[in-house]
PDB file of all heavy atoms in Angstrom:
ATOM      1  N   ALA A   1       0.832  -1.178  -0.012  1.00 95.00           N
ATOM      2  CA  ALA A   1      -0.012   0.034  -0.048  1.00 95.00           C
ATOM      3  C   ALA A   1       0.922   1.208   0.011  1.00 95.00           C
ATOM      4  O   ALA A   1       1.886   1.337   0.711  1.00 95.00           O
ATOM      5  CB  ALA A   1      -0.887   0.032   1.264  1.00 95.00           C
ATOM      6  N   PRO A   2       0.558   2.246  -0.854  1.00 92.00           N
ATOM      7  CA  PRO A   2       1.340   3.532  -0.807  1.00 92.00           C
ATOM      8  C   PRO A   2       1.273   4.175   0.535  1.00 92.00           C
ATOM      9  O   PRO A   2       0.326   4.158   1.196  1.00 92.00           O
ATOM     10  CB  PRO A   2       0.660   4.292  -1.963  1.00 92.00           C
ATOM     11  CG  PRO A   2      -0.320   3.498  -2.552  1.00 92.00           C
ATOM     12  CD  PRO A   2      -0.627   2.259  -1.777  1.00 92.00           C
ATOM     13  N   PHE A   3       2.393   4.683   0.849  1.00 94.00           N
ATOM     14  CA  PHE A   3       2.561   5.355   2.132  1.00 94.00           C
ATOM     15  C   PHE A   3       3.726   6.389   2.075  1.00 94.00           C
ATOM     16  O   PHE A   3       4.795   6.001   1.637  1.00 94.00           O
ATOM     17  CB  PHE A   3       2.713   4.399   3.320  1.00 94.00           C
ATOM     18  CG  PHE A   3       2.841   5.081   4.652  1.00 94.00           C
ATOM     19  CD1 PHE A   3       1.684   5.599   5.296  1.00 94.00           C
ATOM     20  CD2 PHE A   3       4.054   5.229   5.305  1.00 94.00           C
ATOM     21  CE1 PHE A   3       1.770   6.209   6.549  1.00 94.00           C
ATOM     22  CE2 PHE A   3       4.202   5.836   6.552  1.00 94.00           C
ATOM     23  CZ  PHE A   3       3.020   6.250   7.096  1.00 94.00           C
ATOM     24  N   SER A   4       3.541   7.490   2.561  1.00 93.00           N
ATOM     25  CA  SER A   4       4.597   8.497   2.614  1.00 93.00           C
ATOM     26  C   SER A   4       4.779   8.930   4.151  1.00 93.00           C
ATOM     27  O   SER A   4       3.836   9.457   4.690  1.00 93.00           O
ATOM     28  CB  SER A   4       4.179   9.780   1.802  1.00 93.00           C
ATOM     29  OG  SER A   4       5.294  10.704   1.819  1.00 93.00           O
ATOM     30  N   ALA A   5       5.831   8.469   4.664  1.00 93.00           N
ATOM     31  CA  ALA A   5       6.126   8.741   6.130  1.00 93.00           C
ATOM     32  C   ALA A   5       6.358  10.212   6.397  1.00 93.00           C
ATOM     33  O   ALA A   5       6.876  10.920   5.582  1.00 93.00           O
ATOM     34  CB  ALA A   5       7.373   7.918   6.507  1.00 93.00           C
ATOM     35  N   ASP A   6       5.851  10.684   7.535  1.00 95.00           N
ATOM     36  CA  ASP A   6       6.095  11.959   8.063  1.00 95.00           C
ATOM     37  C   ASP A   6       7.500  11.976   8.568  1.00 95.00           C
ATOM     38  O   ASP A   6       7.865  11.377   9.608  1.00 95.00           O
ATOM     39  CB  ASP A   6       4.993  12.259   9.111  1.00 95.00           C
ATOM     40  CG  ASP A   6       5.248  13.552   9.907  1.00 95.00           C
ATOM     41  OD1 ASP A   6       6.370  14.183   9.820  1.00 95.00           O
ATOM     42  OD2 ASP A   6       4.324  14.019  10.602  1.00 95.00           O
ATOM     43  N   PRO A   7       8.394  12.765   7.832  1.00 95.00           N
ATOM     44  CA  PRO A   7       9.928  12.620   8.296  1.00 95.00           C
ATOM     45  C   PRO A   7      10.127  13.178   9.646  1.00 95.00           C
ATOM     46  O   PRO A   7      11.033  12.617  10.405  1.00 95.00           O
ATOM     47  CB  PRO A   7      10.622  13.387   7.181  1.00 95.00           C
ATOM     48  CG  PRO A   7       9.524  14.239   6.456  1.00 95.00           C
ATOM     49  CD  PRO A   7       8.180  13.524   6.692  1.00 95.00           C
ATOM     50  N   ASP A   8       9.367  14.197  10.130  1.00 96.00           N
ATOM     51  CA  ASP A   8       9.659  14.786  11.402  1.00 96.00           C
ATOM     52  C   ASP A   8       9.206  13.776  12.451  1.00 96.00           C
ATOM     53  O   ASP A   8       9.882  13.549  13.534  1.00 96.00           O
ATOM     54  CB  ASP A   8       8.930  16.051  11.591  1.00 96.00           C
ATOM     55  CG  ASP A   8       9.485  17.143  10.786  1.00 96.00           C
ATOM     56  OD1 ASP A   8      10.663  17.148  10.414  1.00 96.00           O
ATOM     57  OD2 ASP A   8       8.705  18.115  10.450  1.00 96.00           O
ATOM     58  N   LEU A   9       8.014  13.105  12.352  1.00 97.00           N
ATOM     59  CA  LEU A   9       7.567  12.107  13.286  1.00 97.00           C
ATOM     60  C   LEU A   9       8.446  10.884  13.243  1.00 97.00           C
ATOM     61  O   LEU A   9       8.783  10.401  14.279  1.00 97.00           O
ATOM     62  CB  LEU A   9       6.082  11.739  12.907  1.00 97.00           C
ATOM     63  CG  LEU A   9       5.412  10.654  13.851  1.00 97.00           C
ATOM     64  CD1 LEU A   9       5.524  11.110  15.333  1.00 97.00           C
ATOM     65  CD2 LEU A   9       4.006  10.425  13.470  1.00 97.00           C
ATOM     66  N   ALA A  10       8.930  10.521  12.073  1.00 96.00           N
ATOM     67  CA  ALA A  10       9.818   9.351  11.976  1.00 96.00           C
ATOM     68  C   ALA A  10      11.146   9.685  12.735  1.00 96.00           C
ATOM     69  O   ALA A  10      11.596   8.794  13.491  1.00 96.00           O
ATOM     70  CB  ALA A  10      10.140   9.091  10.523  1.00 96.00           C
ATOM     71  N   ALA A  11      11.671  10.883  12.482  1.00 96.00           N
ATOM     72  CA  ALA A  11      12.910  11.236  13.249  1.00 96.00           C
ATOM     73  C   ALA A  11      12.735  11.191  14.715  1.00 96.00           C
ATOM     74  O   ALA A  11      13.588  10.752  15.464  1.00 96.00           O
ATOM     75  CB  ALA A  11      13.442  12.550  12.742  1.00 96.00           C
ATOM     76  N   PHE A  12      11.644  11.764  15.167  1.00 97.00           N
ATOM     77  CA  PHE A  12      11.261  11.785  16.631  1.00 97.00           C
ATOM     78  C   PHE A  12      11.201  10.395  17.155  1.00 97.00           C
ATOM     79  O   PHE A  12      11.835  10.031  18.192  1.00 97.00           O
ATOM     80  CB  PHE A  12      10.025  12.582  16.893  1.00 97.00           C
ATOM     81  CG  PHE A  12       9.661  12.617  18.342  1.00 97.00           C
ATOM     82  CD1 PHE A  12      10.333  13.491  19.187  1.00 97.00           C
ATOM     83  CD2 PHE A  12       8.587  11.831  18.840  1.00 97.00           C
ATOM     84  CE1 PHE A  12       9.966  13.509  20.553  1.00 97.00           C
ATOM     85  CE2 PHE A  12       8.272  11.888  20.166  1.00 97.00           C
ATOM     86  CZ  PHE A  12       8.899  12.750  21.055  1.00 97.00           C
ATOM     87  N   GLY A  13      10.430   9.519  16.501  1.00 96.00           N
ATOM     88  CA  GLY A  13      10.330   8.158  16.892  1.00 96.00           C
ATOM     89  C   GLY A  13      11.621   7.404  16.978  1.00 96.00           C
ATOM     90  O   GLY A  13      11.921   6.654  17.881  1.00 96.00           O
ATOM     91  N   VAL A  14      12.454   7.524  15.935  1.00 94.00           N
ATOM     92  CA  VAL A  14      13.745   6.877  15.859  1.00 94.00           C
ATOM     93  C   VAL A  14      14.670   7.440  16.944  1.00 94.00           C
ATOM     94  O   VAL A  14      15.361   6.597  17.665  1.00 94.00           O
ATOM     95  CB  VAL A  14      14.429   7.064  14.517  1.00 94.00           C
ATOM     96  CG1 VAL A  14      15.869   6.564  14.473  1.00 94.00           C
ATOM     97  CG2 VAL A  14      13.579   6.274  13.414  1.00 94.00           C
ATOM     98  N   ARG A  15      14.634   8.730  17.256  1.00 94.00           N
ATOM     99  CA  ARG A  15      15.491   9.220  18.354  1.00 94.00           C
ATOM    100  C   ARG A  15      15.012   8.625  19.713  1.00 94.00           C
ATOM    101  O   ARG A  15      15.868   8.281  20.531  1.00 94.00           O
ATOM    102  CB  ARG A  15      15.282  10.775  18.485  1.00 94.00           C
ATOM    103  CG  ARG A  15      16.233  11.487  17.502  1.00 94.00           C
ATOM    104  CD  ARG A  15      16.095  12.992  17.807  1.00 94.00           C
ATOM    105  NE  ARG A  15      16.893  13.713  16.793  1.00 94.00           N
ATOM    106  CZ  ARG A  15      16.391  14.245  15.626  1.00 94.00           C
ATOM    107  NH1 ARG A  15      15.110  14.236  15.526  1.00 94.00           N
ATOM    108  NH2 ARG A  15      17.157  14.872  14.792  1.00 94.00           N
ATOM    109  N   ALA A  16      13.745   8.395  19.848  1.00 95.00           N
ATOM    110  CA  ALA A  16      13.257   7.917  21.122  1.00 95.00           C
ATOM    111  C   ALA A  16      13.663   6.412  21.134  1.00 95.00           C
ATOM    112  O   ALA A  16      14.259   5.971  22.219  1.00 95.00           O
ATOM    113  CB  ALA A  16      11.749   7.991  21.205  1.00 95.00           C
ATOM    114  N   ALA A  17      13.592   5.584  20.185  1.00 94.00           N
ATOM    115  CA  ALA A  17      13.879   4.210  20.200  1.00 94.00           C
ATOM    116  C   ALA A  17      15.445   4.043  20.398  1.00 94.00           C
ATOM    117  O   ALA A  17      15.896   3.146  21.052  1.00 94.00           O
ATOM    118  CB  ALA A  17      13.509   3.467  18.904  1.00 94.00           C
ATOM    119  N   ARG A  18      16.153   4.922  19.752  1.00 91.00           N
ATOM    120  CA  ARG A  18      17.596   4.957  19.831  1.00 91.00           C
ATOM    121  C   ARG A  18      18.056   5.123  21.329  1.00 91.00           C
ATOM    122  O   ARG A  18      19.011   4.561  21.726  1.00 91.00           O
ATOM    123  CB  ARG A  18      18.206   5.847  18.900  1.00 91.00           C
ATOM    124  CG  ARG A  18      19.715   5.948  18.961  1.00 91.00           C
ATOM    125  CD  ARG A  18      20.239   6.853  17.840  1.00 91.00           C
ATOM    126  NE  ARG A  18      20.019   8.227  18.237  1.00 91.00           N
ATOM    127  CZ  ARG A  18      20.352   9.344  17.514  1.00 91.00           C
ATOM    128  NH1 ARG A  18      21.088   9.146  16.450  1.00 91.00           N
ATOM    129  NH2 ARG A  18      20.219  10.511  17.939  1.00 91.00           N
ATOM    130  N   ALA A  19      17.377   5.997  21.957  1.00 91.00           N
ATOM    131  CA  ALA A  19      17.703   6.407  23.389  1.00 91.00           C
ATOM    132  C   ALA A  19      17.293   5.307  24.355  1.00 91.00           C
ATOM    133  O   ALA A  19      17.906   5.127  25.410  1.00 91.00           O
ATOM    134  CB  ALA A  19      17.079   7.743  23.723  1.00 91.00           C
ATOM    135  N   VAL A  20      16.205   4.567  24.031  1.00 88.00           N
ATOM    136  CA  VAL A  20      15.658   3.603  24.886  1.00 88.00           C
ATOM    137  C   VAL A  20      16.568   2.335  25.082  1.00 88.00           C
ATOM    138  O   VAL A  20      16.782   1.954  26.130  1.00 88.00           O
ATOM    139  CB  VAL A  20      14.215   3.191  24.469  1.00 88.00           C
ATOM    140  CG1 VAL A  20      13.659   2.069  25.321  1.00 88.00           C
ATOM    141  CG2 VAL A  20      13.272   4.422  24.601  1.00 88.00           C
ATOM    142  N   LYS A  21      16.983   1.818  24.002  1.00 80.00           N
ATOM    143  CA  LYS A  21      17.910   0.666  23.902  1.00 80.00           C
ATOM    144  C   LYS A  21      17.339  -0.636  24.231  1.00 80.00           C
ATOM    145  O   LYS A  21      16.209  -0.732  24.852  1.00 80.00           O
ATOM    146  CB  LYS A  21      19.128   0.966  24.771  1.00 80.00           C
ATOM    147  CG  LYS A  21      19.886   2.177  24.482  1.00 80.00           C
ATOM    148  CD  LYS A  21      20.766   1.998  23.266  1.00 80.00           C
ATOM    149  CE  LYS A  21      21.680   3.151  23.053  1.00 80.00           C
ATOM    150  NZ  LYS A  21      22.058   3.349  21.738  1.00 80.00           N
ATOM    151  N   SER A  22      18.023  -1.695  23.786  1.00 86.00           N
ATOM    152  CA  SER A  22      17.766  -3.137  24.121  1.00 86.00           C
ATOM    153  C   SER A  22      16.311  -3.679  23.855  1.00 86.00           C
ATOM    154  O   SER A  22      15.519  -3.534  24.690  1.00 86.00           O
ATOM    155  CB  SER A  22      18.135  -3.292  25.651  1.00 86.00           C
ATOM    156  OG  SER A  22      18.084  -4.726  25.908  1.00 86.00           O
ATOM    157  N   ASN A  23      16.193  -4.071  22.659  1.00 92.00           N
ATOM    158  CA  ASN A  23      14.882  -4.496  22.181  1.00 92.00           C
ATOM    159  C   ASN A  23      13.820  -3.441  22.323  1.00 92.00           C
ATOM    160  O   ASN A  23      12.648  -3.639  22.637  1.00 92.00           O
ATOM    161  CB  ASN A  23      14.444  -5.816  22.892  1.00 92.00           C
ATOM    162  CG  ASN A  23      15.186  -7.027  22.400  1.00 92.00           C
ATOM    163  OD1 ASN A  23      15.470  -7.121  21.272  1.00 92.00           O
ATOM    164  ND2 ASN A  23      15.432  -7.959  23.310  1.00 92.00           N
ATOM    165  N   ALA A  24      14.201  -2.195  21.896  1.00 95.00           N
ATOM    166  CA  ALA A  24      13.290  -1.091  22.086  1.00 95.00           C
ATOM    167  C   ALA A  24      12.172  -1.016  21.033  1.00 95.00           C
ATOM    168  O   ALA A  24      12.463  -1.228  19.885  1.00 95.00           O
ATOM    169  CB  ALA A  24      14.163   0.202  22.050  1.00 95.00           C
ATOM    170  N   ILE A  25      11.085  -0.673  21.487  1.00 97.00           N
ATOM    171  CA  ILE A  25       9.946  -0.310  20.701  1.00 97.00           C
ATOM    172  C   ILE A  25       9.397   1.088  21.329  1.00 97.00           C
ATOM    173  O   ILE A  25       9.183   1.149  22.494  1.00 97.00           O
ATOM    174  CB  ILE A  25       8.771  -1.310  20.760  1.00 97.00           C
ATOM    175  CG1 ILE A  25       9.170  -2.706  20.257  1.00 97.00           C
ATOM    176  CG2 ILE A  25       7.533  -0.742  20.071  1.00 97.00           C
ATOM    177  CD1 ILE A  25       9.411  -2.751  18.756  1.00 97.00           C
ATOM    178  N   ALA A  26       9.353   2.087  20.476  1.00 98.00           N
ATOM    179  CA  ALA A  26       8.888   3.373  20.843  1.00 98.00           C
ATOM    180  C   ALA A  26       7.617   3.632  19.981  1.00 98.00           C
ATOM    181  O   ALA A  26       7.545   3.379  18.827  1.00 98.00           O
ATOM    182  CB  ALA A  26       9.887   4.437  20.678  1.00 98.00           C
ATOM    183  N   ILE A  27       6.603   4.200  20.608  1.00 98.00           N
ATOM    184  CA  ILE A  27       5.426   4.622  19.918  1.00 98.00           C
ATOM    185  C   ILE A  27       5.184   6.086  20.091  1.00 98.00           C
ATOM    186  O   ILE A  27       5.093   6.673  21.227  1.00 98.00           O
ATOM    187  CB  ILE A  27       4.072   3.829  20.502  1.00 98.00           C
ATOM    188  CG1 ILE A  27       4.376   2.397  20.195  1.00 98.00           C
ATOM    189  CG2 ILE A  27       2.860   4.329  19.771  1.00 98.00           C
ATOM    190  CD1 ILE A  27       3.280   1.479  20.871  1.00 98.00           C
ATOM    191  N   ALA A  28       5.172   6.833  18.976  1.00 98.00           N
ATOM    192  CA  ALA A  28       5.057   8.258  18.965  1.00 98.00           C
ATOM    193  C   ALA A  28       4.042   8.768  17.956  1.00 98.00           C
ATOM    194  O   ALA A  28       3.642   8.056  17.100  1.00 98.00           O
ATOM    195  CB  ALA A  28       6.449   8.897  18.480  1.00 98.00           C
ATOM    196  N   ARG A  29       3.587  10.003  18.259  1.00 98.00           N
ATOM    197  CA  ARG A  29       2.478  10.574  17.340  1.00 98.00           C
ATOM    198  C   ARG A  29       2.703  11.956  17.289  1.00 98.00           C
ATOM    199  O   ARG A  29       3.488  12.671  18.073  1.00 98.00           O
ATOM    200  CB  ARG A  29       1.173  10.263  17.900  1.00 98.00           C
ATOM    201  CG  ARG A  29       0.792  11.118  19.208  1.00 98.00           C
ATOM    202  CD  ARG A  29      -0.672  11.149  19.532  1.00 98.00           C
ATOM    203  NE  ARG A  29      -0.945  11.848  20.644  1.00 98.00           N
ATOM    204  CZ  ARG A  29      -2.189  12.355  21.043  1.00 98.00           C
ATOM    205  NH1 ARG A  29      -3.160  12.082  20.251  1.00 98.00           N
ATOM    206  NH2 ARG A  29      -2.338  13.033  22.010  1.00 98.00           N
ATOM    207  N   ARG A  30       2.063  12.572  16.324  1.00 96.00           N
ATOM    208  CA  ARG A  30       1.982  13.992  16.125  1.00 96.00           C
ATOM    209  C   ARG A  30       0.835  14.387  17.023  1.00 96.00           C
ATOM    210  O   ARG A  30      -0.314  13.955  16.780  1.00 96.00           O
ATOM    211  CB  ARG A  30       1.801  14.396  14.719  1.00 96.00           C
ATOM    212  CG  ARG A  30       1.898  15.894  14.460  1.00 96.00           C
ATOM    213  CD  ARG A  30       1.982  16.324  12.976  1.00 96.00           C
ATOM    214  NE  ARG A  30       3.188  15.984  12.462  1.00 96.00           N
ATOM    215  CZ  ARG A  30       4.316  16.697  12.652  1.00 96.00           C
ATOM    216  NH1 ARG A  30       4.444  17.767  13.494  1.00 96.00           N
ATOM    217  NH2 ARG A  30       5.468  16.400  12.033  1.00 96.00           N
ATOM    218  N   ALA A  31       0.999  15.185  18.045  1.00 93.00           N
ATOM    219  CA  ALA A  31       0.017  15.587  18.945  1.00 93.00           C
ATOM    220  C   ALA A  31      -1.007  16.566  18.301  1.00 93.00           C
ATOM    221  O   ALA A  31      -0.666  17.145  17.303  1.00 93.00           O
ATOM    222  CB  ALA A  31       0.628  16.168  20.291  1.00 93.00           C
ATOM    223  N   PRO A  32      -2.196  16.648  18.899  1.00 87.00           N
ATOM    224  CA  PRO A  32      -3.251  17.515  18.284  1.00 87.00           C
ATOM    225  C   PRO A  32      -2.830  18.896  18.016  1.00 87.00           C
ATOM    226  O   PRO A  32      -3.247  19.549  17.036  1.00 87.00           O
ATOM    227  CB  PRO A  32      -4.380  17.481  19.307  1.00 87.00           C
ATOM    228  CG  PRO A  32      -4.183  16.160  20.060  1.00 87.00           C
ATOM    229  CD  PRO A  32      -2.775  15.978  20.125  1.00 87.00           C
ATOM    230  N   ARG A  33      -1.951  19.514  18.815  1.00 87.00           N
ATOM    231  CA  ARG A  33      -1.523  20.856  18.614  1.00 87.00           C
ATOM    232  C   ARG A  33      -0.287  20.988  17.747  1.00 87.00           C
ATOM    233  O   ARG A  33       0.365  22.054  17.732  1.00 87.00           O
ATOM    234  CB  ARG A  33      -1.387  21.578  19.942  1.00 87.00           C
ATOM    235  CG  ARG A  33      -2.648  21.752  20.598  1.00 87.00           C
ATOM    236  CD  ARG A  33      -2.654  22.511  21.809  1.00 87.00           C
ATOM    237  NE  ARG A  33      -4.013  22.540  22.374  1.00 87.00           N
ATOM    238  CZ  ARG A  33      -4.235  22.776  23.699  1.00 87.00           C
ATOM    239  NH1 ARG A  33      -3.296  22.981  24.539  1.00 87.00           N
ATOM    240  NH2 ARG A  33      -5.471  22.769  24.158  1.00 87.00           N
ATOM    241  N   GLY A  34       0.126  19.838  17.236  1.00 86.00           N
ATOM    242  CA  GLY A  34       1.281  19.889  16.216  1.00 86.00           C
ATOM    243  C   GLY A  34       2.611  19.399  16.818  1.00 86.00           C
ATOM    244  O   GLY A  34       3.494  19.185  16.163  1.00 86.00           O
ATOM    245  N   GLY A  35       2.715  19.328  18.112  1.00 95.00           N
ATOM    246  CA  GLY A  35       3.970  18.857  18.681  1.00 95.00           C
ATOM    247  C   GLY A  35       4.121  17.385  18.483  1.00 95.00           C
ATOM    248  O   GLY A  35       3.235  16.685  17.967  1.00 95.00           O
ATOM    249  N   LEU A  36       5.227  16.786  18.936  1.00 98.00           N
ATOM    250  CA  LEU A  36       5.532  15.413  18.801  1.00 98.00           C
ATOM    251  C   LEU A  36       5.467  14.809  20.242  1.00 98.00           C
ATOM    252  O   LEU A  36       5.984  15.447  21.170  1.00 98.00           O
ATOM    253  CB  LEU A  36       6.915  15.209  18.069  1.00 98.00           C
ATOM    254  CG  LEU A  36       6.984  15.694  16.680  1.00 98.00           C
ATOM    255  CD1 LEU A  36       8.408  15.708  16.199  1.00 98.00           C
ATOM    256  CD2 LEU A  36       6.022  14.959  15.789  1.00 98.00           C
ATOM    257  N   GLN A  37       4.885  13.561  20.363  1.00 97.00           N
ATOM    258  CA  GLN A  37       4.685  13.080  21.677  1.00 97.00           C
ATOM    259  C   GLN A  37       5.073  11.579  21.694  1.00 97.00           C
ATOM    260  O   GLN A  37       4.671  10.785  20.788  1.00 97.00           O
ATOM    261  CB  GLN A  37       3.186  13.164  22.077  1.00 97.00           C
ATOM    262  CG  GLN A  37       2.850  12.581  23.375  1.00 97.00           C
ATOM    263  CD  GLN A  37       1.368  12.749  23.738  1.00 97.00           C
ATOM    264  OE1 GLN A  37       0.577  12.983  22.784  1.00 97.00           O
ATOM    265  NE2 GLN A  37       1.072  12.633  24.993  1.00 97.00           N
ATOM    266  N   LEU A  38       5.840  11.192  22.670  1.00 98.00           N
ATOM    267  CA  LEU A  38       6.188   9.815  22.910  1.00 98.00           C
ATOM    268  C   LEU A  38       5.022   9.244  23.767  1.00 98.00           C
ATOM    269  O   LEU A  38       4.764   9.720  24.830  1.00 98.00           O
ATOM    270  CB  LEU A  38       7.484   9.627  23.683  1.00 98.00           C
ATOM    271  CG  LEU A  38       7.903   8.247  24.095  1.00 98.00           C
ATOM    272  CD1 LEU A  38       8.164   7.384  22.770  1.00 98.00           C
ATOM    273  CD2 LEU A  38       9.126   8.262  24.885  1.00 98.00           C
ATOM    274  N   LEU A  39       4.286   8.235  23.141  1.00 98.00           N
ATOM    275  CA  LEU A  39       3.084   7.648  23.852  1.00 98.00           C
ATOM    276  C   LEU A  39       3.495   6.581  24.791  1.00 98.00           C
ATOM    277  O   LEU A  39       2.866   6.403  25.833  1.00 98.00           O
ATOM    278  CB  LEU A  39       2.103   7.238  22.798  1.00 98.00           C
ATOM    279  CG  LEU A  39       1.485   8.290  21.964  1.00 98.00           C
ATOM    280  CD1 LEU A  39       0.619   7.648  20.781  1.00 98.00           C
ATOM    281  CD2 LEU A  39       0.594   9.234  22.774  1.00 98.00           C
ATOM    282  N   GLY A  40       4.419   5.794  24.301  1.00 98.00           N
ATOM    283  CA  GLY A  40       4.838   4.629  25.216  1.00 98.00           C
ATOM    284  C   GLY A  40       6.125   4.034  24.600  1.00 98.00           C
ATOM    285  O   GLY A  40       6.528   4.248  23.461  1.00 98.00           O
ATOM    286  N   MET A  41       6.763   3.258  25.451  1.00 97.00           N
ATOM    287  CA  MET A  41       7.952   2.608  25.129  1.00 97.00           C
ATOM    288  C   MET A  41       8.086   1.295  25.826  1.00 97.00           C
ATOM    289  O   MET A  41       7.609   1.117  27.029  1.00 97.00           O
ATOM    290  CB  MET A  41       9.183   3.436  25.331  1.00 97.00           C
ATOM    291  CG  MET A  41       9.442   3.778  26.746  1.00 97.00           C
ATOM    292  SD  MET A  41      10.794   4.883  26.963  1.00 97.00           S
ATOM    293  CE  MET A  41      10.967   4.798  28.786  1.00 97.00           C
TER     294      MET A  41
END
């Protein structure tokens, strides 16, 4: 399926996963007011 990733959200999510370490899964979103939010890890 076609998909174009949001590069800012992707970068934020990758930064979070990179910082968490060791079998890391980070879940991030673009918050309603436009900011970026780590929802869970």
Side-chain angles (χ1 to χ4, degrees):
F3 180 74
S4 181
D6 174 340
D8 293 335
L9 180 54
F12 178 77
V14 169
R15 278 188 185 96
R18 181 174 69 177
V20 172
K21 302 283 186 204
S22 189
N23 284 326
I25 299 288
I27 299 175
R29 73 168 178 161
R30 188 168 286 284
R33 295 188 180 153
L36 301 170
Q37 180 182 17
L38 179 62
L39 296 173
M41 63 182 188

